[in-house]
Amino acid sequence: MNDVAVLPLRFQVGARTLASIPRRLVRVSYSLQTVLAGHVTAIGQPTPSSDGFLVTSMPESQLERVGTAGLLRHVRQRYMRYYVDLSTGMAGWEAALSGATRSGLKRKAKKLVAASGGTLDVRRYVSADEIATFHPLARAVSALTYQERLLDAGLPSDAGELLRLAAADRVRAWLLFLEERPVAYLCCTADGDTIRYDYVGHDPAIASLSPGVVLQAEALRDLMKEGRFRWFDFTEGEGQHKRSLATGGVACMDVLLLRATLVNRVALRALGGFDSAVAVAKRAAAHPTLARLSRQVRR
């Protein structure tokens, strides 16, 4: 079991946190292999020093099997945990993509090639020495991204852990260059035959060139050519490029499991009401009339 840590219960609208309630929680995360197998281990009851658990990537079909009787339950989000079966090989993977995705990848790569003077400049980094070269270049890109500015999810400023993993051959990283300037990065760490989608970002100034999805596709082709890993794990959360490039997905959710105290009941009731209000607002904003009004207001 993981250690107890102070984790905030966030009241969020998109990437923006409006308020938070600190709770002492044990974070429980399930590996892709566990999610695919569909047999999670029992979580049990929280220790006296904790308020409960934050469980991520819980397969929806397994929630009743984790042994959490008596705990308050709140589902924070539901999503597909997407993955790529790298054993299909490049031909098999590309054949499984939709026609629109294949043509879109070709079109986006062609635009980048044209913008960079006729070449698609993607560079691969594996060894500890190579990761030492990669890190400051990728950090310069990460500092520009919304992942770092809004989500505190940029590439770590300290390269120590990445260098340690690279020395054990557990890192694969790529940079996309445009006119000799790094504009997008992807850094993945490995566990056994699974490699994870850990850190990613691109320069927002060239977002119209779709550098992130082009780099992702090139990285997947590189991994299939290498042949070492079986699975590429897109981890928690959804996204258009995950859906379009994946070969499969498992319905998962992130769940809070808290002690049945008065404070926790009030916190979860407030959080549930807030999440419901945000969901209603999102559905309302998607209505064609309101969408048109929003566009007119922004003009």
Side-chain angles (χ1 to χ4, degrees), residues 118-134:
T119 61
L120 186 61
D121 189 357
V122 175
R123 305 178 194 180
R124 179 179 190 255
Y125 304 84
V126 176
S127 70
D129 287 344
E130 290 170 347
I131 294 301
T133 299
F134 162 85

Side-chain angles (χ1 to χ4, degrees), residues 93-94 97-111 120 210 212-218 220-221 241 244-245:
W93 172 67
E94 290 176 349
L97 301 178
S98 70
T101 296
R102 288 196 300 272
S103 62
L105 288 175
K106 291 177 182 178
R107 183 177 66 255
K108 291 167 183 175
K110 188 176 180 179
K111 285 178 63 176
L120 186 61
S210 306
V213 69
V214 172
L215 180 58
Q216 178 69 70
E218 290 301 307
L220 289 172
R221 292 187 180 105
H241 79 283
S244 62
L245 300 180

Side-chain angles (χ1 to χ4, degrees), residues 6 87 100 107 126 218 235 268 288 290 299:
V6 177
S87 69
R107 183 177 66 255
V126 176
E218 290 301 307
T235 67
L268 288 189
L290 291 178
R299 287 174 183 168

Side-chain angles (χ1 to χ4, degrees), residues 10-292:
R10 300 182 189 275
F11 293 74
Q12 285 184 296
V13 178
R16 187 179 298 278
T17 298
L18 303 181
S20 63
I21 301 174
R23 296 285 82 189
R24 292 180 57 81
L25 303 175
V26 174
R27 186 180 183 117
V28 179
S29 299
Y30 292 110
S31 68
L32 179 63
Q33 289 92 332
T34 299
V35 169
L36 289 174
H39 296 293
V40 301
T41 57
I43 294 175
Q45 296 296 309
T47 63
S49 64
S50 73
D51 294 299
F53 305 94
L54 170 59
V55 187
T56 60
S57 278
M58 164 72 74
E60 288 196 4
S61 62
Q62 299 295 303
L63 182 58
E64 304 304 327
R65 298 184 52 178
V66 295
T68 54
L71 297 182
L72 304 174
R73 179 189 303 174
H74 178 70
V75 177
R76 289 296 337 244
Q77 62 173 337
R78 287 182 165 86
Y79 51 88
M80 294 296 291
R81 182 165 177 174
Y82 289 107
Y83 60 86
V84 176
D85 183 350
L86 299 171
S87 69
T88 62
M90 285 186 284
W93 172 67
E94 290 176 349
L97 301 178
S98 70
T101 296
R102 288 196 300 272
S103 62
L105 288 175
K106 291 177 182 178
R107 183 177 66 255
K108 291 167 183 175
K110 188 176 180 179
K111 285 178 63 176
L112 267 170
V113 167
S116 62
T119 61
L120 186 61
D121 189 357
V122 175
R123 305 178 194 180
R124 179 179 190 255
Y125 304 84
V126 176
S127 70
D129 287 344
E130 290 170 347
I131 294 301
T133 299
F134 162 85
H135 186 263
L137 297 172
R139 274 293 310 149
V141 179
S142 181
L144 304 173
T145 65
Y146 79 89
Q147 287 94 337
E148 180 157 326
R149 291 185 291 104
L150 297 179
L151 303 179
D152 193 27
L155 187 71
S157 57
D158 184 351
E161 179 65 8
L162 285 177
L163 293 174
R164 183 187 70 80
L165 292 172
D169 194 30
R170 292 181 55 194
V171 177
R172 297 292 184 272
W174 299 265
L175 279 169
L176 172 64
F177 287 79
L178 185 63
E179 297 179 341
E180 293 298 317
R181 179 174 66 90
V183 294
Y185 75 93
L186 173 62
C187 183
C188 304
T189 61
D191 184 10
D193 63 355
T194 299
I195 188 158
R196 291 185 299 267
Y197 179 81
D198 289 326
Y199 306 105
V200 60
H202 65 265
D203 184 345
I206 64 160
S208 62
L209 294 176
S210 306
V213 69
V214 172
L215 180 58
Q216 178 69 70
E218 290 301 307
L220 289 172
R221 292 187 180 105
D222 185 44
L223 290 168
M224 291 174 200
K225 183 178 179 181
E226 180 184 5
R228 176 183 164 186
F229 301 103
R230 169 69 191 276
W231 307 102
F232 184 91
D233 180 9
F234 276 116
T235 67
E236 294 90 359
E238 297 196 29
Q240 176 59 38
H241 79 283
K242 293 184 180 183
R243 288 192 294 272
S244 62
L245 300 180
T247 60
V250 179
C252 290
M253 54 190 174
D254 293 348
V255 186
L256 285 165
L257 299 167
L258 303 185
R259 291 179 178 279
T261 65
L262 177 61
V263 171
N264 288 338
R265 288 183 188 277
V266 172
L268 288 189
R269 183 167 295 181
L271 196 61
F274 179 83
D275 287 347
S276 296
V278 170
V280 169
K282 286 181 178 179
R283 289 195 296 269
H287 190 280
T289 301
L290 291 178
R292 286 195 300 272

